[in-house]
Amino acid sequence: MQPQSSAHIVLSYIQAKLMLQAKQAGQSSTKISTDLGLTQAEVKFYPDFVLFANGEQLDWQELEEIAGNQIVCFYIADNTATVIRQFSEAFGRTYSLMPTESAPTMLISGIAMHRIKDSDPHTDTLSKIKSIAPIRGKVLDTTTGLGYTAIEAAKTADHVVTIELDPAAQMIARFNPWSQALFESPKFTQIIGDSFEEIERFDAETFDCLIHDPPMFSLAGELYSGAFYRQTWRVLKRNGRMFHYIGSPDSKSGARVTKGVVQRLQESGFTRIVHKPQAFGVVAYK
């Protein structure tokens, strides 16, 4: 499964329902987003199928199936809808793209990688970036995912290096319209590898800012370790800072993990730790 271009059609139940409603209202066409909310394009209705602006067709039965599935997105190619899902042989995980009213999130074995309760992936990303703004110079993003923090950081940074552990996750990003800047802009260097190992390859004082948004502690405990934090301190420039996403400070697990994180960050050399509850994390200053 490979995306044909950056202009490929991606739909969710949201767009499918809009088309079905327009058809039921007797319309012969309507405007919807074919890139999960980023832009609008006209689609034309025929008795047996919908015709998209790029020539792709989709029959009404497939649209009804899309409309009935709220946890995955679909890639349209060769007049067929395919679920955006990838299984990782290396890690035994299934990745998929889940729609929201805003940017989609990625599910890893059913677990959402962004805040979707009382927030959305785009707002979640903006809160993280705001926590360490202004972002200038060279930035390290330790966990690419869908690349939202890297893309937002690159709007003001000179360059962003971003590390993704699993090629299967990167494939999901390739299908996500909201992630396309990662593959089109020269401001990014993408590395496939383990951040715990890759960070050792950078020279000391390479980065002005570091964005650390790891999976939950139970999935990636080494990225919450003192050994890793010592490396983040080493690669940051003097007066550099790191945003570390941890999780809800109001939950028992979030409070417990945060306490340990702060202690290990201080032991690793960071002189000041500032709690950022609105971003579910902390900012550590070198």
Side-chain angles (χ1 to χ4, degrees):
M1 187 172 72
Q2 291 282 348
Q4 295 177 339
S5 74
S6 61
H8 54 264
I9 295 174
V10 179
L11 301 177
S12 75
Y13 75 96
I14 297 171
Q15 295 80 38
K17 283 186 174 181
L18 289 174
M19 284 185 277
L20 290 168
Q21 290 168 358
K23 180 195 177 191
Q24 291 169 358
Q27 296 176 217
S28 60
S29 67
T30 191
K31 279 194 173 184
I32 63 152
S33 176
T34 56
D35 53 13
L36 300 181
L38 292 173
T39 63
Q40 295 276 314
E42 186 177 27
V43 293
K44 296 181 179 179
F45 300 159
Y46 293 88
D48 297 327
F49 61 87
V50 170
L51 178 64
F52 297 94
N54 69 349
E56 289 283 352
Q57 300 176 12
L58 205 60
D59 65 48
W60 290 105
Q61 182 179 347
E62 282 200 90
L63 276 173
E64 289 175 357
E65 291 174 0
I66 294 173
N69 195 329
Q70 298 189 12
I71 61 171
V72 290
C73 297
F74 295 80
Y75 170 63
I76 313 304
D78 300 324
N79 303 330
T80 302
T82 302
V83 174
I84 299 176
R85 179 183 293 134
Q86 194 81 5
F87 178 73
S88 172
E89 296 285 351
F91 296 95
R93 301 171 180 172
T94 298
Y95 298 86
S96 60
L97 196 64
M98 176 182 172
T100 77
E101 294 289 345
S102 174
T105 187
M106 183 159 61
L107 298 183
I108 302 181
S109 297
I111 301 173
M113 292 297 102
H114 298 89
R115 292 164 59 190
I116 55 176
K117 181 180 180 181
D118 301 324
S119 186
D120 61 73
H122 184 60
T123 302
D124 185 29
T125 298
L126 294 180
S127 67
K128 296 169 185 174
I129 295 300
K130 184 180 179 180
S131 294
I132 55 170
I135 295 177
R136 299 285 188 269
K138 194 170 184 179
V139 178
L140 175 62
D141 173 32
T142 63
T143 52
T144 308
L146 293 176
Y148 295 163
T149 51
I151 291 169
E152 199 62 35
K155 292 180 179 179
T156 55
D158 294 331
H159 195 79
V160 178
V161 177
T162 182
I163 305 172
E164 174 52 56
L165 176 66
D166 196 339
Q170 188 187 58
M171 180 58 68
I172 297 299
R174 286 187 178 277
F175 278 91
N176 180 21
W178 290 72
S179 302
Q180 292 312 298
L182 280 176
F183 309 100
E184 298 171 353
S185 172
K187 294 186 76 172
F188 299 99
T189 296
Q190 293 194 67
I191 297 172
I192 297 294
D194 187 336
S195 284
F196 189 80
E197 299 171 355
E198 294 294 333
I199 198 169
E200 296 183 2
R201 304 180 191 275
F202 300 117
D203 292 335
E205 299 191 3
T206 296
F207 299 100
D208 298 273
C209 292
L210 195 151
I211 302 168
H212 187 42
D213 186 7
M216 64 179 65
F217 185 86
S218 61
L219 293 177
E222 71 280 1
L223 298 184
Y224 295 77
S225 68
F228 185 76
Y229 295 158
R230 287 191 290 275
Q231 289 296 325
T232 63
W233 186 92
R234 183 184 66 82
V235 301
L236 275 174
K237 294 180 181 179
R238 184 178 180 184
N239 297 320
R241 58 202 182 280
M242 171 176 70
F243 171 76
H244 187 333
Y245 180 87
I246 300 171
S248 173
D250 296 327
S251 69
K252 288 184 179 180
S253 61
R256 183 178 66 254
V257 174
T258 298
K259 182 178 179 180
V261 164
V262 170
Q263 180 179 337
R264 290 189 293 277
L265 286 171
Q266 291 171 334
E267 292 170 349
S268 300
F270 288 95
T271 56
R272 185 161 65 101
I273 315 296
V274 179
H275 291 265
K276 298 289 183 176
Q278 77 284 355
F280 282 27
V282 299
V283 173
Y285 293 81
K286 180 173 178 177

